[in-house]
Amino acid sequence: MTAGGAAHVVDMQHRYAFVLLGSVQTTLIFTLAAIAVPLPLIGREFGLQRPDLILLSASYGLTFAGLLLFGGRLADRYGGRRTLAVGLLLFAAASAAAPFAPGIGALLAARFVQGAGAALVAPAAMAVLRIVFRSPTAYGRAMATWGGLSVLGATAGNLLSGVILTWLSWRWTFVVPLVVALTALALAPRLLPHTAPNRGRTLDLPGALLATTGITLASYGLVVTDVRPWSSTGVLVPLLGGAVLLAAFLYAERHARDPLLPTRFLLNRRRALALTAIALSACATAMTFVVLSLHLQQTRGWSPLRTSAAFVPFAIALIASGRAAGPLVVRYGAGAVTTAGLGTGAAGLALLASTGLHAHTPYAYGLLPGLVLLSAGTAASFGGAAVLATAGVPPQQTGLAGGVLNSAMELGPTVLFALLLTLGGDPLSLAATGCALAVAAFLNHRTDQSTA
């Protein structure tokens, strides 16, 4: 075989590996988002009240976000491919059990286990990705595309769940993650490189326990503010308990020999701004889906299928912007793409806040322009920020970087979402989120200028 032919084969192997890992990452977020549309039907079938539905909606994200840092450290310690396989097994088992749940208890348990599996899979996939794309340029292009996969998964979850509900049962929404997990388990030994364990690393179990419990408690406290006042015991106890545990975690990490989250990892201004951009972009996408889905079905009386169809242009703009993110990052730099994406997303939210929630405003010019701008902007900001968040990370900390990056993606739709929704009505919440994106764009631009 000629040198050119061998290079082509290697390039195709890399492409197949990226497609496999990218499909898994997209499915993890699909699974998070796909429960939103079926919630009313599940509530009627099981006789659930609103607090039960809120907990069911948040259950997957609680364990996903809470265990991500530990999952990243496991990937660094035991190797990305091995950790990926264990996580996929957990994820597949829970996805297989969920459709047969006879009641809320079994369904909640399945969602919690799904989230635990996802917390292992997400950082492990990034650790394997780093082995697949060894050159900094190739890895940067891969991460630019990778950044947009999460918002693509969220979009697919909202679109497909409406279609599934129209012709099948909500239980069929769990078939998608099951099929993807089983396919990935079958193909991983053939397509993904072996990743050697790092026997020199130790596991910071006290830090993992503090971080997981603290993040989970604080996230739960914020989630239940939707059904309980901030001054209630059900909100204050988990919030304060989570805050105390997270403070203890930060103190313990400063004195740990091999900390779960080294303090210096987050002190890099570039990385901190990139993670903020990711969290805000994830929050903006989640808020738009929730607010508009409720508005279209409750205020305008649209069916679930028609509501899902309203987000098709969102998905098209998202895919187009995501495909362009890699070449744009190479040409203009990750910082410039992140800034432009945040600014475009802010403009989209401003349009939605000012015109999109009027009951009689036509879809074509009341909702569509804002949706397209938001999706194009968030895909670009995700792509650029993912490159910035992982730049300069040594290979032995790739799992850690994956855990931190995915934590930002998870905490955005929970912590920031809950805080911004308390500001008032839906238009004000959308506008406030747009302002936050605009501020992040300005700060990112200033950082670009100061380091130019």
Side-chain angles (χ1 to χ4, degrees):
M1 182 181 293
T2 65
H8 176 71
V9 170
V10 171
D11 184 60
M12 290 305 296
Q13 289 174 339
H14 291 175
R15 288 177 181 270
Y16 292 146
F18 182 85
V19 169
L20 177 63
L21 294 170
S23 299
V24 169
Q25 174 69 13
T26 303
T27 303
L28 298 183
I29 310 302
F30 169 94
T31 307
L32 177 69
I35 198 72
V37 176
L39 274 179
L41 294 177
I42 297 173
R44 286 196 292 270
E45 182 173 330
F46 291 155
L48 305 179
Q49 300 299 316
R50 185 172 174 83
D52 300 317
L53 293 177
I54 294 297
L55 180 59
L56 179 59
S57 176
S59 54
Y60 175 85
L62 288 175
T63 48
F64 192 177
L67 288 167
L68 268 169
L69 290 178
F70 189 50
R73 274 315 203 195
L74 288 174
D76 289 335
R77 172 65 177 80
Y78 294 106
R81 200 174 82 175
R82 181 181 299 179
T83 307
L84 180 74
V86 173
L88 285 171
L89 282 171
L90 275 177
F91 189 73
S95 299
F100 301 99
I104 181 62
L107 187 56
L108 274 174
R111 291 288 284 175
F112 280 127
V113 177
Q114 268 188 323
L120 297 180
V121 171
M126 282 188 59
V128 176
L129 194 71
R130 183 64 177 268
I131 303 300
V132 173
F133 298 97
R134 293 184 180 274
S135 78
T137 301
Y139 181 66
R141 288 178 65 94
M143 284 308 303
T145 303
W146 187 269
L149 294 179
S150 294
V151 69
L152 177 61
T155 306
N158 282 274
L159 291 177
L160 290 182
S161 59
V163 174
I164 291 171
L165 281 178
T166 301
W167 286 293
L168 298 168
S169 162
W170 62 266
R171 298 176 185 270
W172 284 87
T173 58
F174 293 97
V175 172
V176 175
L178 175 61
V179 170
V180 173
L182 293 177
T183 302
L185 279 169
L187 294 179
R190 185 182 310 172
L191 297 180
L192 302 182
H194 174 70
T195 50
N198 187 347
R199 302 296 183 188
R201 304 306 297 264
T202 59
L203 289 178
D204 179 17
L205 293 178
L209 181 62
L210 289 170
T212 299
T213 311
I215 291 173
T216 303
L217 275 177
S219 299
Y220 174 77
L222 286 168
V223 166
V224 296
T225 57
D226 186 73
V227 292
R228 295 176 180 173
W230 282 85
S231 58
S232 67
T233 303
V235 172
L236 288 177
V237 169
L239 275 181
L240 293 176
V244 169
L245 289 172
L246 288 175
F249 165 70
L250 293 175
Y251 176 81
E253 293 302 278
R254 294 181 61 184
H255 299 85
R257 184 171 67 87
D258 193 2
L260 184 72
L261 179 60
T263 307
R264 62 183 179 276
F265 189 84
L266 296 179
L267 292 181
N268 181 291
R269 186 180 180 187
R270 273 284 200 184
R271 185 172 296 123
L273 282 174
L275 293 172
T276 301
I278 289 170
L280 286 172
S281 298
C283 172
T285 304
M287 180 176 291
T288 300
F289 277 131
V290 171
V291 168
L292 291 188
S293 293
L294 292 175
H295 168 75
L296 292 175
Q297 293 182 73
Q298 295 178 352
T299 304
R300 301 198 183 194
W302 288 20
S303 67
L305 182 60
R306 189 181 179 189
T307 300
S308 293
F311 289 99
V312 169
F314 185 100
I316 294 173
L318 181 72
I319 294 170
S321 181
R323 287 181 63 86
L328 288 173
V329 165
V330 172
R331 183 170 183 178
Y332 298 106
V337 173
T338 304
T339 299
L342 289 169
T344 304
L349 284 173
L351 283 176
L352 290 173
S354 59
T355 63
L357 298 182
H358 298 165
H360 303 293
T361 302
Y363 171 83
Y365 61 82
L367 280 173
L368 185 58
L371 280 176
V372 170
L373 284 175
L374 176 63
S375 60
T378 52
S381 63
F382 267 119
V387 175
L388 294 174
T390 54
V393 176
Q396 65 270 22
Q397 287 189 335
T398 307
L400 168 64
V404 172
L405 189 148
N406 280 278
S407 293
M409 290 182 182
E410 289 301 305
L411 294 177
T414 52
V415 175
L416 295 179
F417 188 12
L419 290 173
L420 288 165
L421 278 180
T422 62
L423 295 177
D426 290 340
L428 183 58
S429 296
L430 289 174
T433 308
C435 289
L437 288 176
V439 171
F442 173 75
L443 293 175
N444 192 79
H445 176 69
R446 288 286 301 272
T447 302
D448 261 355
Q449 295 293 101
S450 64
T451 56

